[in-house]
Amino acid sequence: MAWWRRPSCPVRPVEQEWIEQSLDWFVAQFGRVRLLGEVVLPTDEYFPGVYRGTRDDVRTVVGRLCEHMGVDPGRVTIEHGDADDSDGLAAHVPVTTQSSGAAGDYRLENGRSIIGIRDDQAANPMALVATIAHELGHLLLLGDQRITADRADHEPLTDLLTVFFGLGIFTANSALDNRREVRGEYAYRSTSRLGYLTEPMYGYALARYAWLRGERSPGWAKYLDTNPRTFLDRGLRYLRAERAA
């Protein structure tokens, strides 16, 4: 018996079920045309020009993502905040820093969606796209009353929506960031999590997304970082094995 050699799903059964049911719900809500829409890549074709992380650059990225996600930019107001200097000690002594959670801020005021972006967040274009995509996802889910804020999984569901809208490369690559930097004579490490899904969950979500689109070996996978790409490959092997069973 060779059943034990069959590929396994990279996520737990409860996570697998949630991802599959949620993606099916997205298809029902937004349609198959959206499912089969363009996958956005971190290339000059999608984000042309020099990016310096200025507030004008941020507004340009917001405009492009609004267009891609079918959001009227007139519904969105961007609020810029000062950089977070809470890690300033690391400039003077070797320390390890760790952070997690949402990088942006979303709220509704008088029917208008307000998205807050800190200036230091804009320095990393990959994470910036992930953050804006997540916040625009809030508009599509909360702002358009597809769900309510008291839904327990509304934050991870919003992360998953970025995958469905073809922006999963950015959110998956930004999910976990480990860095070692040298400042003067000191070195320090920082670990940050962006968002609410783990790398295995992003990997399987992207695998299921590709599978629903009829992509058995998606060319866009080469733009994923090593970890999410590994989990994507595991997810696709699992789905092929399940189909063949």
Side-chain angles (χ1 to χ4, degrees), residues 163 168-169 172 201-211 218 220 224 228 232 236:
V163 173
I169 291 170
M201 291 177 74
Y202 271 120
Y204 185 67
L206 286 162
R208 186 69 181 182
Y209 169 71
W211 194 264
W220 44 260
L224 289 167
L232 163 68
L236 288 171

Side-chain angles (χ1 to χ4, degrees), residues 193-233:
R193 276 194 58 190
L194 182 69
Y196 300 86
L197 300 185
T198 64
E199 288 182 315
M201 291 177 74
Y202 271 120
Y204 185 67
L206 286 162
R208 186 69 181 182
Y209 169 71
W211 194 264
L212 291 173
R213 289 162 54 91
E215 297 176 301
R216 300 303 181 252
S217 182
W220 44 260
K222 67 182 180 181
Y223 293 97
L224 289 167
D225 290 345
T226 300
N227 283 354
R229 185 171 67 248
T230 298
F231 293 120
L232 163 68
D233 290 341

Side-chain angles (χ1 to χ4, degrees), residues 17 29 35 37 49 53 64 105 117 161 187 203 206 221 231 239-241:
E17 182 180 15
Q29 288 291 313
L35 169 68
R64 290 181 180 138
D105 174 72
I117 301 291
L161 186 67
L206 286 162
F231 293 120
L239 290 169
R240 283 193 291 268

Side-chain angles (χ1 to χ4, degrees), residues 106-133:
Y106 174 86
R107 67 184 189 277
L108 277 171
E109 288 186 2
N110 300 319
R112 192 170 182 82
S113 294
I114 313 295
I115 295 177
I117 301 291
R118 288 202 322 262
D119 288 338
D120 58 335
Q121 295 166 350
N124 182 340
M126 182 75 71
L128 176 68
V129 172
T131 298
I132 295 172

Side-chain angles (χ1 to χ4, degrees), residues 62 65-66 69 71 76 106 115 131-141 158 161:
V62 170
L65 292 181
C66 281
M69 298 179 74
V71 172
V76 179
Y106 174 86
I115 295 177
T131 298
I132 295 172
H134 177 92
E135 304 308 334
L136 292 178
H138 277 313
L139 187 153
L140 293 171
L141 295 176
T158 307
L161 186 67

Side-chain angles (χ1 to χ4, degrees), residues 26-191:
F26 290 155
V27 175
Q29 288 291 313
F30 299 100
R32 286 194 58 80
V33 172
R34 171 55 67 180
L35 169 68
L36 301 175
E38 196 170 26
V39 176
V40 178
L41 307 177
T43 64
D44 289 341
E45 177 185 357
Y46 293 90
F47 299 99
V50 177
Y51 180 84
R52 298 182 177 87
T54 66
R55 293 184 176 185
D56 284 341
D57 288 340
V58 171
R59 286 190 286 271
T60 298
V61 173
V62 170
R64 290 181 180 138
L65 292 181
C66 281
E67 181 179 4
H68 173 77
M69 298 179 74
V71 172
D72 178 2
R75 298 179 61 192
V76 179
T77 296
I78 301 299
E79 286 188 350
H80 297 276
D82 293 332
D84 181 3
D85 58 359
S86 60
D87 293 335
L89 182 64
H92 308 288
V93 296
V95 298
T96 298
T97 61
Q98 186 170 10
S99 61
S100 63
D105 174 72
Y106 174 86
R107 67 184 189 277
L108 277 171
E109 288 186 2
N110 300 319
R112 192 170 182 82
S113 294
I114 313 295
I115 295 177
I117 301 291
R118 288 202 322 262
D119 288 338
D120 58 335
Q121 295 166 350
N124 182 340
M126 182 75 71
L128 176 68
V129 172
T131 298
I132 295 172
H134 177 92
E135 304 308 334
L136 292 178
H138 277 313
L139 187 153
L140 293 171
L141 295 176
L142 293 172
D144 289 344
Q145 299 182 343
R146 287 184 168 92
I147 64 171
T148 59
D150 59 1
R151 176 167 169 163
D153 67 343
H154 83 270
E155 288 288 6
L157 188 72
T158 307
D159 270 352
L160 186 62
L161 186 67
T162 67
V163 173
F164 182 79
F165 270 74
L167 290 155
I169 291 170
F170 296 88
T171 46
N173 284 353
S174 302
L176 186 64
D177 185 18
N178 291 294
R179 295 187 182 186
R180 181 182 183 275
E181 297 185 30
V182 177
R183 296 181 182 177
E185 60 182 304
Y186 298 110
Y188 80 99
R189 294 185 180 275
S190 64
T191 300

